[in-house]
Amino acid sequence: MNDRTSGPERAEHEELARLLPAPAERDLPPGRHLHHKDTLMRLIDQDGDRATARPRLPRPAVLLPAAGLALGGVLLTTIAVTGQDSTPAPSPAGTSSQATAPRAAVLLDRIASVAEKSDEQAVTGDQFVYVKTLQAGNEGEYGGPVKLSEPGEREVWMSQEPGPVIDEGLIHQDGSYFPITVGVPDGETPVGYPAGLNRPTYAWLASLPTDADVLLRRLDTEITRDQDARDTPAEDRDRAQDTFDAIGQLLMETVMPPKTAAALYKAAAKIPGVTVDSDAVDAAGRHGIGVARDNTRSGWRTVWIFDSTTLEYLGDRSYLIRDSTMGRKGTPLSESAVLERAVVDTLRERPSDHKSSAQKSSAGKPSTT
């Protein structure tokens, strides 16, 4: 960082430094990767390109084609937000980082440095990314009061084939398994879906540019192409918010290549209106430091939550920032927490299966002491 800053900006840098621990001088342990959010939790668009087992109502998210629908609720809690930066007026993504709140830029730079040091994964096309989360979301009627349910565990297995594929993976939630498949109108032949922004395999993520400015342009192109295909009206598009949401979607239910993760965080630092939430809580009740942005048009805030010590991604939450038909200001809309993530060889395989086998094998060996 630049040590020659002065005045209010220097004070903000020093304040953030007090909030965060000293940077770690060693690599993070295996398995600490950044993950993709909600590929499986977005609604089918109006022409019904894709579908999954059970319908749900919308969450705050960029409108991209869904790989599957959410099957969760939201924990009914109040939210304590402290140390919020002021939020600049939204403007297109990809502008100078000077438009970004300084504290958020400093924090995201630190997070990017940690993410880049995480372990690279070896992932092949015949494997699956496994992610276990705790998730909760709005199950109320569209546009009506938020109806909340307790957070529940969710497991997903996402195919890593480059595609196009019809069978994209599997969800385990509420005691049942639900296949994730490409949906089409009755009588039509399904067409496979390729790896990309809406089905981000490890290989596709690794192929993204690692220069933050180039990456922002790439994301903008991908989002615009998707919105054009879905005839999204101009008044429903917001480049800065859509880019922030798209990056948020890429932080949950995938395993993220380290260099890609670092580039995404550096790109997020360039989005106007990004701020710091100094005390954010995920669905598992873990407190951390948050990176937030207000969707002023929709009236809610989305916060990405990171461990205050390790800067590991923990999860996210969204809540209302003004009174509306959905509820009063501060009403939570959704929350999540990443519990486990890994690369496995088959559907329904869990990392714990290997641990159990290793323990059984070890128990059957004679003692060497």
Side-chain angles (χ1 to χ4, degrees):
M1 304 306 298
N2 190 347
D3 292 330
R4 293 176 291 180
T5 56
S6 61
E9 183 177 350
R10 182 178 182 84
E12 286 179 328
H13 282 234
E14 292 173 348
E15 180 182 355
L16 182 58
R18 287 194 296 271
L19 288 172
L20 292 172
E25 296 183 355
R26 58 179 177 82
D27 291 348
L28 292 176
R32 288 188 174 177
H33 299 278
L34 305 174
H35 296 275
H36 150 85
K37 163 139 180 122
D38 273 359
T39 297
L40 308 174
M41 298 187 72
R42 288 167 278 163
L43 287 177
I44 304 172
D45 49 280
Q46 294 178 353
D47 57 1
D49 345 300
R50 311 173 69 196
T52 190
R54 295 168 59 186
R56 71 167 278 125
L57 294 162
R59 297 168 54 98
V62 63
L63 296 176
L64 303 175
L69 308 181
L71 304 166
V74 164
L75 178 64
L76 179 55
T77 58
T78 57
I79 297 181
V81 179
T82 60
Q84 282 287 346
D85 291 325
S86 59
T87 304
S91 58
T95 60
S96 168
S97 60
Q98 293 178 353
T100 304
R103 292 177 67 219
V106 173
L107 175 59
L108 284 163
D109 184 71
R110 294 278 296 278
I111 293 170
S113 295
V114 171
E116 195 165 18
K117 295 177 183 177
S118 62
D119 292 332
E120 184 78 36
Q121 292 278 341
V123 185
T124 60
D126 59 351
Q127 291 182 303
F128 297 85
V129 162
Y130 167 88
V131 183
K132 182 180 180 180
T133 57
L134 194 64
Q135 294 193 1
N138 176 20
E139 294 184 341
E141 295 181 0
Y142 181 79
V146 173
K147 181 180 178 181
L148 306 170
S149 63
E150 293 295 322
E153 285 189 359
R154 163 187 170 97
E155 297 172 292
V156 297
W157 292 261
M158 295 301 299
S159 170
Q160 296 302 293
E161 290 186 31
V165 300
I166 295 173
D167 298 318
E168 299 183 33
L170 190 68
I171 300 172
H172 179 231
Q173 191 160 342
D174 298 333
S176 299
Y177 288 90
F178 305 94
I180 308 166
T181 60
V182 174
V184 295
D186 291 342
E188 294 188 15
T189 302
V191 176
Y193 208 75
L197 187 63
N198 303 310
R199 193 174 73 82
T201 63
Y202 191 89
W204 181 81
L205 289 165
S207 74
L208 292 175
T210 54
D211 177 273
D213 292 309
V214 178
L215 179 56
L216 279 172
R217 291 195 292 270
R218 170 71 177 274
L219 291 174
D220 183 62
T221 298
E222 296 273 353
I223 293 167
T224 300
R225 181 186 299 123
D226 179 78
Q227 292 174 330
D228 289 346
R230 301 175 66 249
D231 296 323
T232 303
E235 60 270 21
D236 291 338
R237 305 187 188 196
D238 179 335
R239 288 181 62 197
Q241 187 64 46
D242 293 345
T243 304
F244 182 82
D245 289 338
I247 293 174
Q249 301 286 348
L250 296 174
L251 299 181
M252 179 76 88
E253 288 180 335
T254 65
V255 170
M256 186 75 69
K259 290 183 179 179
T260 304
L264 286 170
Y265 289 126
K266 291 177 181 178
K270 294 176 176 287
I271 300 174
V274 177
T275 63
V276 171
D277 184 339
S278 58
D279 184 21
V281 186
D282 71 4
R286 299 175 297 192
H287 288 256
I289 191 165
V291 173
R293 193 178 196 280
D294 289 355
N295 185 331
T296 54
R297 180 179 54 194
S298 299
W300 57 60
R301 173 175 293 148
T302 299
V303 186
W304 307 338
I305 305 167
F306 301 86
D307 185 284
S308 298
T309 301
T310 66
L311 298 184
E312 176 188 4
Y313 177 81
L314 298 179
D316 78 352
R317 69 161 51 223
S318 297
Y319 59 94
L320 295 176
I321 56 174
R322 61 173 180 258
D323 294 347
S324 72
T325 57
M326 298 179 69
R328 297 187 64 82
K329 179 180 178 180
T331 298
L333 300 176
S334 67
E335 62 181 9
S336 70
V338 176
L339 304 179
E340 190 173 20
R341 47 279 183 105
V343 178
V344 297
D345 295 328
T346 61
L347 289 172
R348 305 197 186 197
E349 179 184 350
R350 296 172 173 84
S352 57
D353 296 340
H354 297 290
K355 294 176 185 176
S356 298
S357 298
Q359 289 170 352
K360 291 179 181 178
S361 175
S362 176
K365 294 180 179 179
S367 173
T368 57
T369 59

